[in-house]
Every structure is written in C-alpha cells, then in structure tokens.
Amino acid sequence: MGSSDPVRGVVVERVAPLGTAMARVTLRVVDGPVPEAVRTHAGHCRLLFPDDATDGGAGGSARSRVFTYRRWHADGRFDIDFALHGGTGPAARWIARATVGDRLGWKHGGPPKLTLDAPLPGPAVLIGDATALPVISALLERAHPRLHGHAILALPDIAGVLPLTAPTGVMVAHVPSGDAALDVLQGLALTCETTVFAALEADAMRGVRRFALDRLGVPRGRVFTSGYWKAGLATEDLAVAKRRADWFGDPEDRSSRMPA
Ligand SMILES: Cc1cc2nc3c(=O)[nH]c(=O)nc-3n(C[C@H](O)[C@H](O)[C@H](O)COP(=O)(O)OP(=O)(O)OC[C@H]3O[C@@H](n4cnc5c(N)ncnc54)[C@H](O)[C@@H]3O)c2cc1C
C-alpha cells in the first residue's frame, strides 16, 4: 500500500446488484483529477468506512478495508465489486445500505501481484472466492490470448454473477467452497511450470500454497497467494497475523524461527 498516497474523498454514483451475492459500486473522486499512474488495472485501494459500530457514524472515525479496482472508466471513475458476506465489519455494514451520494475516504494502494498480459512459460491456475472475483476477472479480461489454464472460483451462489471474459484456453470451474477448489486443483494434471494465483480465505489460501510449492514443486516466484480475509479475524487483526514470519507456513520460514 503506497503510504505516500493521500486520502481523498469519493462519492457513490451507482450501486448495482450482481446477483444476490455481490454488488457493484461506481465511485467518483470528488477532490480533483485522478492521475493516470493511479489507474492500475486490477490494482487495489483502501476505502475508509464510517465506524458506526462504535460511534453511530457521528464521531467521524473511519476504518479502512482493502478492495480491488474492478474497472477504471475513462473519466476517472472506478468500479468496486463487493462480496456481500453479511458480516458485521464496517465494509459489510456499509454495503448493506449503500446508496447514491454516500461519501467514503479512498487511498490508492498499488498494482496487482501478477499480470497476465505477457506469455507465461506454462499454464496459469487462478483460484479465488467472491472477494477475488474482481481481481481474477480483471486479470483474465486483459490476459494474453494464448494464456491457458484454469480459473477455479469458489462461489456458493453464482446466480447473477457476470460471466468471466477469458482467453479460450482458460477453463472456468465454479465450486461451492475453498476446500472444493483445492480438490479441483489436486485433480488437475499440472507441472512445476504452472503459475499459481490464489486469493481467498487465509486457511484455504494456505492449502493451495502448500500444494503448489510442496506437491507441484512450483518455484516460489510463480506462486502468488494472498489471504484476502480470515474467518473470525477483522482486517486489523489479520494485518497483525500477516506480519508474523510463519504466516504462509513455508518450511524455511518455520525453520528460521526455530532455536539453533
Ligand atoms: C488485496 C485485496 C483485495 C481485495 N479485494 C476485494 C474486493 O474487490 N471485493 C471484496 O468484496 N473484498 C475484497 N477483499 C477482501 C476484503 O478486504 C475483506 O473481506 C474485508 O474483511 C471486508 O471488510 P469488513 O469490514 O466487511 O470485515 P472485517 O471487519 O474485516 O471482518 C469482520 C468479520 O467478517 C469476516 N469476513 C470478512 N470478509 C469476509 C468474507 N468475504 N466472507 C465471510 N466473512 C468475512 C471476518 O472473518 C471477520 O470475522 C480484498 C482483500 C485484499 C487483501
């Protein structure tokens, strides 16, 4: 997250359901133009939501949550697709009643960990739940036409979710959970030439990471994994957990923490 990027204001121009499980919000930056460098395709940002759990929204305190730029419009507006997870965090509470004219804080983050616009040495496998559908959709719609591989989407409710635009060599599978996504991955005929991208609940992400590194032997440089959320942990606590050396559970990280 670019710490030098300022916090600016955004206003909601449109809220549109994407089926029953997601909603698309179009935001316009209110205080001046958006530099081209900020308009990173499939990049991420922080949105600052009112902390109405503690102050009813009256005290002006805000809590930031990370989201993906699903699409930049030519005029500098951008779309964010929210997974409607129904929790009690500030983002979940806000999207449940978001309306045109709402204002939020916005802080640009940075580009995605991976881009797919250049040819890869082998297939790509992209795994994500509803929170990663925006980044996977954005990556695939600009992917190199010869990209081949699999997108495995853990979406319990896909009704109304827009179809992915992807190169013809990418097979798309919908499964109900992160565990089921790992099952599909384990059944694919893949080699260490594969590039793996996984963004989903943290424990599910670790299962994918372990399989890619330990069983497929994919080099770490081609395994892009992120715990986009963790069951039972609010974003602030997740950020603390991610700073621990053994967050990914990689053997070298574990051994570096063992007493000599
Ligand atoms: C780089 C990045 C990009 C992201 N992009 C998007 C995006 O485009 N769209 C999007 O919807 N999310 C995205 N996320 C995930 C989003 O930041 C988290 O889901 C975040 O926790 C939501 O904040 P909250 O205030 O609702 O919940 P928090 O206050 O963070 O957590 C409160 C509770 O809700 C639970 N929770 C959080 N998310 C979920 C979930 N998806 N399902 C079930 N329970 C959940 C937590 O476990 C916790 O118990 C992204 C995350 C990262 C790191």
Side-chain angles (χ1 to χ4, degrees):
M1 195 68 53
S3 57
S4 59
D5 290 301
V7 174
R8 300 174 63 181
V10 288
V11 64
V12 174
E13 290 221 324
R14 185 164 181 264
V15 183
L18 298 176
T20 54
M22 299 191 72
R24 175 164 296 168
V25 175
T26 302
L27 296 165
R28 179 171 53 83
V29 180
V30 287
D31 41 6
V34 180
E36 282 295 332
V38 163
R39 303 184 193 187
T40 49
H41 190 72
H44 59 275
C45 64
R46 282 186 175 267
L47 295 176
L48 280 67
F49 298 93
D51 191 6
D52 51 8
T54 54
D55 66 7
S61 58
R63 289 165 68 191
S64 76
R65 296 292 182 260
V66 186
F67 287 88
T68 304
Y69 300 122
R70 173 63 188 88
R71 177 171 294 116
W72 281 96
H73 299 260
D75 58 8
R77 292 176 304 149
F78 59 91
D79 292 342
I80 301 284
D81 289 356
F82 285 76
L84 304 177
H85 65 83
T88 56
R93 287 197 307 273
W94 180 81
I95 190 61
R97 52 173 195 262
T99 187
V100 171
D102 282 357
R103 285 186 179 231
L104 297 174
W106 163 68
K107 183 174 168 60
H108 173 62
K113 289 182 173 179
L114 166 75
T115 57
L116 297 173
D117 40 5
L120 294 173
V125 178
L126 294 92
I127 302 176
D129 60 19
T131 63
L133 190 58
V135 69
I136 291 176
S137 304
L139 289 174
L140 284 177
E141 72 190 12
R142 290 221 184 160
H144 192 277
R146 286 203 301 278
L147 180 82
H148 61 284
H150 301 265
I152 307 171
L153 305 174
L155 301 173
D157 179 4
I158 62 164
V161 172
L162 302 176
L164 285 182
T165 300
T168 50
V170 177
M171 307 292 125
V172 180
H174 291 111
V175 293
S177 67
D179 287 346
L182 181 57
D183 288 345
V184 171
L185 175 68
Q186 290 170 338
L188 297 174
L190 296 169
T191 68
C192 61
E193 293 287 289
T194 308
T195 296
V196 177
F197 175 91
L200 64 174
E201 196 279 330
D203 292 334
M205 173 278 290
R206 280 203 202 94
V208 171
R209 184 176 175 88
R210 293 270 54 84
F211 181 77
L213 291 170
D214 304 344
R215 301 288 297 280
L216 292 178
V218 178
R220 279 173 78 153
R222 277 209 313 280
V223 177
F224 304 88
T225 54
S226 182
Y228 269 20
W229 59 283
K230 180 165 169 55
L233 286 190
T235 296
E236 292 81 2
D237 302 320
L238 177 59
V240 173
K242 283 182 174 180
R243 284 198 286 273
R244 292 195 197 115
D246 60 352
W247 166 249
F248 282 123
D250 291 347
E252 49 271 59
D253 297 335
R254 286 198 293 264
S255 63
S256 71
R257 287 163 54 86
M258 287 166 66

